[in-house]
């Protein structure tokens, strides 16, 4: 019972059924990647968000907007992207992982991955970050023991995935690591993020994906220099592009995670459609309606160790620093889409 708002409902929504399948991830635990090609990331920038929200392009008519975009803003964007690639001021990095999970009322229960004997295959197990190599800088490693992410995704999308990682099962030794508690709608569909995971009572073990992306600290340093020098227009352009590039990296890497899970057949072939969730599952970020509690970032940090792995820390207000970073919970259930609590 909530003293202010009344009864707290914890029953799974009647409109959510079990997922058609539970994907097997290519590894259990955590991986890090730091060798992204910005030319592959930039196409995932949402130009509408960049031009209208970040660069504050406002016009009286759609015709004026289209003209200004083509004649002024798109050329500025293209030139700035080339300057950024040449200067190295953006340093895209991602830490992400897969963990066994179940739904339990309004909670998503996250479990420890199994032992080395139980989990053999393509991925590294979760272990303290200082013991973990940057495992997705893997093209220089022994080809018999590892494969680059893009190759893995390509194999999976073609139906030729490598030997599967054994499925997590429930046993008396299954260790609960932590719980994410999410709010539930009080009316209508009564949705909660936990609904999109196999219930604990089912005896099935599901999978949760977690990710944190950043374009590094150099972008913040450079934008601050421009602001302090009074170059406000350049500041506006670079800062806006840095923020939207972080979002683009999150979109791009979510696409790669869907390929890793073998659920990318539902992806729209058009990049712009991805901004409207035209794919299977969802990517939920803290501070948004379905998971508004920013303090839950601490739990994601317990699992992914972003400060050690990609240089991102939490402020006292539970915001990410550098600013041009974003984190997410990745859910594979086809019914998982954005909703408001």
């Amino acid at each position: 019972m909530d003293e202010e708002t009344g009864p707290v409902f914890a029953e799974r929504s009647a409109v959510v059924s079990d997922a058609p399948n539970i994907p097997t991830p290519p590894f259990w635990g955590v991986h890090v990647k730091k060798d992204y090609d910005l030319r592959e990331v930039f196409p995932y920038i949402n130009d509408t968000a960049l031009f209208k929200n970040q660069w504050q392009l406002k016009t009286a008519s759609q015709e004026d907007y289209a003209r200004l975009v083509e004649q002024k803003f798109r050329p500025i964007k293209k030139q700035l992207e080339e300057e950024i690639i040449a200067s190295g001021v953006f340093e895209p990095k991602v830490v992400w992982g897969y963990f066994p999970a179940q739904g339990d009322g309004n909670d998503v229960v996250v479990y420890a991955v199994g032992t080395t004997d139980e989990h053999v295959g393509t991925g590294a197990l979760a272990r303290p970050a200082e013991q973990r190599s940057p495992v997705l800088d893997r093209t220089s490693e022994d080809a018999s023991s590892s494969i680059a992410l893009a190759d893995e995704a390509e194999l999976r999308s073609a139906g030729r995935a490598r030997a599967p990682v054994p499925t997590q099962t429930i046993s008396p030794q299954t260790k609960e690591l932590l719980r994410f508690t999410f709010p539930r709608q009080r009316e209508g569909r009564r949705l909660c993020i936990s609904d999109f995971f196999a219930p604990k009572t089912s005896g099935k073990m599901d999978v949760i994906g977690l990710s944190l992306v950043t374009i590094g600290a150099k972008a913040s340093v450079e934008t601050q220099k421009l602001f302090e020098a009074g170059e406000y227009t350049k500041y506006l352009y670079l800062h806006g592009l840095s923020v939207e590039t972080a979002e683009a990296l999150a979109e791009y890497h979510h696409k790669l995670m869907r390929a890793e899970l073998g659920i990318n057949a539902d992806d729209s072939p058009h990049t712009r459609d991805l901004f409207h969730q035209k794919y299977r599952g969802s990517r939920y970020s803290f501070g948004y309606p379905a998971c508004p509690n920013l303090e839950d970032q601490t739990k994601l940090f317990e699992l992914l160790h972003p400060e050690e792995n990609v240089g991102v820390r939490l402020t006292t207000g539970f915001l990410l620093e550098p600013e041009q970073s974003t984190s997410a919970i990745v859910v594979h259930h086809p019914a998982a889409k954005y909703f408001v609590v």
Side-chain angles (χ1 to χ4, degrees), residues 130-175:
E130 63 271 16
Q131 298 177 18
R132 191 166 55 246
S133 62
V135 292
L136 267 187
D137 296 336
R138 295 192 291 179
T139 52
S140 61
E141 294 182 5
D142 184 352
S144 66
S145 63
S146 63
I147 183 168
L149 172 62
D151 294 336
E152 182 75 31
E154 182 178 348
L155 286 171
R156 282 178 167 260
S157 64
R160 297 184 288 111
R162 299 182 66 187
V165 178
T167 303
Q168 286 278 354
T169 56
I170 304 169
S171 73
Q173 290 75 40
T174 302
K175 178 184 177 183

Side-chain angles (χ1 to χ4, degrees), residues 200-274:
K200 191 173 184 178
T201 54
S202 71
K204 298 177 182 178
M205 190 62 82
D206 213 321
V207 57
I208 186 172
L210 301 164
S211 68
L212 186 146
V213 314
T214 183
I215 62 165
K218 285 184 180 179
S220 294
V221 172
E222 190 61 31
T223 54
Q224 184 65 25
K225 286 180 180 177
L226 291 171
F227 187 84
E228 291 175 351
E231 298 191 53
Y232 300 122
T233 299
K234 289 183 179 179
Y235 163 82
L236 181 72
Y237 288 153
L238 182 60
H239 179 268
L241 187 60
S242 69
V243 170
E244 292 304 324
T245 299
E247 292 295 332
L249 179 58
E251 194 72 71
Y252 176 63
H253 190 77
H254 186 201
K255 181 180 176 70
L256 296 183
M257 290 180 73
R258 293 193 300 274
E260 283 189 321
L261 292 171
I263 62 171
N264 57 324
D266 292 341
D267 282 15
S268 169
H270 306 294
T271 299
R272 65 181 178 275
D273 288 340
L274 301 182

Side-chain angles (χ1 to χ4, degrees), residues 5-325:
T5 58
V8 175
F9 300 101
E11 295 81 16
R12 192 183 197 188
S13 171
V15 303
V16 179
S17 57
D18 291 344
N21 67 301
I22 297 175
T24 300
F27 63 90
W28 293 106
V30 179
H31 274 179
V32 177
K33 181 174 172 62
K34 301 180 180 180
D35 61 350
Y36 289 90
D37 182 351
L38 282 170
R39 296 190 190 279
E40 294 181 357
V41 176
F42 283 148
Y44 289 84
I45 288 175
N46 184 333
D47 283 348
T48 300
L50 176 65
F51 298 147
K52 287 189 173 182
N53 301 337
Q54 300 294 340
W55 289 1
Q56 302 176 15
L57 171 56
K58 304 185 189 305
T59 61
S61 68
Q62 185 60 32
E63 291 77 10
D64 286 344
Y65 173 82
R67 177 180 55 79
L68 284 169
V69 163
E70 294 306 318
Q71 294 181 3
K72 179 180 179 181
F73 287 96
R74 206 175 297 283
I76 290 174
K77 174 176 177 273
K78 179 63 177 176
Q79 180 180 347
L80 190 52
E81 287 175 347
E82 293 300 323
E83 291 174 359
I84 286 166
I85 291 171
S87 67
V89 70
F90 289 3
E91 299 175 309
K93 295 173 280 191
V94 179
V95 55
W96 81 105
Y98 301 102
F99 292 85
Q102 293 174 314
D104 186 20
N106 295 344
D107 295 349
V108 174
V109 186
V110 182
Y111 298 95
V113 297
T115 65
T116 304
D117 291 338
E118 294 170 338
H119 298 283
V120 295
T122 64
L125 297 175
R127 55 188 184 272
E130 63 271 16
Q131 298 177 18
R132 191 166 55 246
S133 62
V135 292
L136 267 187
D137 296 336
R138 295 192 291 179
T139 52
S140 61
E141 294 182 5
D142 184 352
S144 66
S145 63
S146 63
I147 183 168
L149 172 62
D151 294 336
E152 182 75 31
E154 182 178 348
L155 286 171
R156 282 178 167 260
S157 64
R160 297 184 288 111
R162 299 182 66 187
V165 178
T167 303
Q168 286 278 354
T169 56
I170 304 169
S171 73
Q173 290 75 40
T174 302
K175 178 184 177 183
E176 180 178 320
L177 290 178
L178 53 80
R179 289 176 177 238
F180 291 100
T181 300
F182 297 108
R184 180 177 296 278
Q185 293 175 322
R186 296 183 178 275
E187 298 176 341
R189 295 179 294 168
R190 291 189 173 175
L191 293 174
C192 178
I193 289 176
S194 60
D195 293 343
F196 304 122
F197 293 86
K200 191 173 184 178
T201 54
S202 71
K204 298 177 182 178
M205 190 62 82
D206 213 321
V207 57
I208 186 172
L210 301 164
S211 68
L212 186 146
V213 314
T214 183
I215 62 165
K218 285 184 180 179
S220 294
V221 172
E222 190 61 31
T223 54
Q224 184 65 25
K225 286 180 180 177
L226 291 171
F227 187 84
E228 291 175 351
E231 298 191 53
Y232 300 122
T233 299
K234 289 183 179 179
Y235 163 82
L236 181 72
Y237 288 153
L238 182 60
H239 179 268
L241 187 60
S242 69
V243 170
E244 292 304 324
T245 299
E247 292 295 332
L249 179 58
E251 194 72 71
Y252 176 63
H253 190 77
H254 186 201
K255 181 180 176 70
L256 296 183
M257 290 180 73
R258 293 193 300 274
E260 283 189 321
L261 292 171
I263 62 171
N264 57 324
D266 292 341
D267 282 15
S268 169
H270 306 294
T271 299
R272 65 181 178 275
D273 288 340
L274 301 182
F275 305 146
H276 303 288
Q277 296 195 293
K278 301 297 184 182
Y279 47 71
R280 174 171 162 174
S282 194
R283 173 170 56 91
Y284 297 104
S285 293
F286 298 109
Y288 288 88
C291 49
N293 187 7
L294 281 174
E295 192 170 349
D296 281 344
Q297 295 270 33
T298 59
K299 298 176 182 179
L300 181 142
F301 268 62
E302 287 182 42
L303 297 169
L304 296 184
H305 304 284
E307 190 158 5
E308 300 95 321
N309 284 323
V310 292
V312 176
R313 71 175 193 90
L314 273 181
T315 68
T316 55
F318 307 107
L319 299 176
L320 300 178
E321 191 175 82
E323 170 195 357
Q324 297 86 345
S325 310

